[in-house]
Amino acid sequence: MPGGVLSLSGLALQEFLRAVLAKGASFRFKARGLSMLPFIQDGDVLTVAPSPARRPRPGDVAAFCHPETRKLVVHRVLARRNGGYLLRGDNAPESDGLISFQDVLGRVTRVERDGREVRLALGLERRLIAFLSRHNLLQPLIFRASRMLRPLKRRCPV
Amino acid sequence: MTISLDAVYAVSDDVVAREIEGEIIIVPLVAGIGDLEDELFTLNETGRAIWDKLDGRRSLNEIIKELSAEYQAPPGELEADVLGLVSELARRRMLVAV
């Protein structure tokens, strides 16, 4: 086939996502950024399902169009409010504010890292993560956990 | 896959195609997923000219004649290009016979 494999970003990526979702299909793409660490890492491949199939609930990770930057963002739903969702990255210092329903494109249903599915943070534990994030408890907890893990890594080099 | 020059093809409903910065970008929807990571395609100039005419109304023969007139190219050369591209797109289920 003439041409080759490409990668899309920014508005082009968003336009494709909207077009794919409009057909009722899911889309799969590579995440960029650190705002969802440690559960979603830079370079993880995400699958996003269209929202009408099941509207995002607190704890779900959702893809949305940021109302100010118009960029595609993938963050966690903390709460549903009148007119939209309150979202925040697991590693973000503050929430994204209220994001209107129409700006939320879909819900992350699968995370892949190095070709393998990563299940952490999309199961039942997602509600606990959202609760902790909403009360500003998630980042201190992750920070303490990461400090505890470092010596173990040094002791057990693989 | 054998492709007849009398056949008429159209872009499948299971394809999302958009023109971005002058290039046609194509994503097939396979098993209900548009895979922007591993299945994202573009077409070169010749492929784009053929793609634009795959509208479900013109036969491949008619497309070759039109392209031959537009680009002043020998129909024999264009036939190989058209059959090659249509065969590949049909194999990937990005085109459907009408």
Side-chain angles (χ1 to χ4, degrees):
Chain A
M1 181 178 186
V5 177
L6 303 167
S7 64
L8 287 178
S9 59
L11 290 175
L13 175 63
Q14 200 181 128
E15 186 179 335
F16 256 96
L17 301 189
R18 286 185 185 278
V20 170
L21 291 173
K23 285 182 175 276
S26 298
F27 59 83
R28 188 170 170 268
F29 70 107
K30 189 172 281 185
R32 289 291 175 207
L34 307 173
S35 65
M36 282 297 285
L37 283 174
F39 302 113
I40 296 176
Q41 299 182 3
D42 184 55
D44 283 357
V45 177
L46 310 181
T47 301
V48 175
S51 285
R54 175 163 99 51
R55 294 205 174 275
R57 296 171 188 160
D60 287 342
V61 177
F64 65 98
C65 172
H66 196 284
E68 289 172 12
T69 63
R70 305 315 295 171
K71 286 184 177 173
L72 179 75
V73 182
V74 173
H75 281 170
R76 194 177 299 278
V77 177
L78 301 187
R80 188 181 163 136
R81 298 262 173 82
N82 281 342
Y85 295 103
L86 189 66
L87 289 111
R88 179 179 182 176
D90 291 342
N91 190 38
E94 54 190 27
S95 87
D96 303 294
L98 196 66
I99 305 296
S100 67
F101 293 128
Q102 61 263 32
D103 280 337
V104 175
L105 305 174
R107 176 175 67 85
V108 174
T109 56
R110 186 180 166 95
V111 179
E112 296 164 65
R113 189 174 304 145
D114 302 325
R116 291 184 178 183
E117 184 173 5
V118 180
R119 291 184 176 272
L120 189 63
L122 292 181
L124 288 175
E125 70 280 6
R126 70 188 190 283
R127 293 183 186 177
L128 175 62
I129 295 169
F131 175 84
L132 293 171
S133 181
R134 194 174 166 187
H135 293 88
N136 295 316
L137 297 170
L138 183 63
Q139 283 185 303
L141 198 67
I142 290 170
F143 179 70
R144 286 175 68 178
S146 66
R147 285 187 68 182
M148 281 190 285
L149 278 172
R150 247 180 255 141
L152 281 172
K153 281 182 187 169
R154 277 203 296 270
R155 256 185 249 160
C156 312
V158 179
Chain B
M1 179 177 283
T2 307
I3 303 289
S4 164
L5 289 173
D6 295 321
V8 176
Y9 284 88
V11 175
S12 166
D13 284 342
D14 290 333
V15 163
V16 172
R18 288 286 184 280
E19 185 172 332
I20 293 169
E21 293 177 3
E23 270 196 300
I24 188 88
I25 310 289
I26 306 165
V27 177
L29 306 181
V30 179
I33 296 178
D35 192 341
L36 277 68
E37 183 53 31
D38 293 333
E39 295 281 337
L40 190 62
F41 300 97
T42 186
L43 295 168
N44 64 15
E45 196 181 340
T46 309
R48 172 66 189 271
I50 298 167
W51 173 270
D52 286 344
K53 292 183 184 297
L54 293 166
D55 57 2
R57 293 196 298 269
R58 289 174 269 210
S59 71
L60 300 186
N61 252 330
E62 289 171 310
I63 290 173
I64 291 166
K65 279 181 195 167
E66 284 182 24
L67 289 172
S68 177
E70 286 171 24
Y71 291 90
Q72 297 173 339
E77 274 180 31
L78 287 168
E79 185 178 314
D81 285 340
V82 169
L83 287 176
L85 179 64
V86 169
S87 173
E88 184 64 24
L89 292 173
R91 187 180 69 77
R92 292 175 183 270
R93 298 180 181 178
M94 292 159 73
L95 290 181
V96 290
V98 177

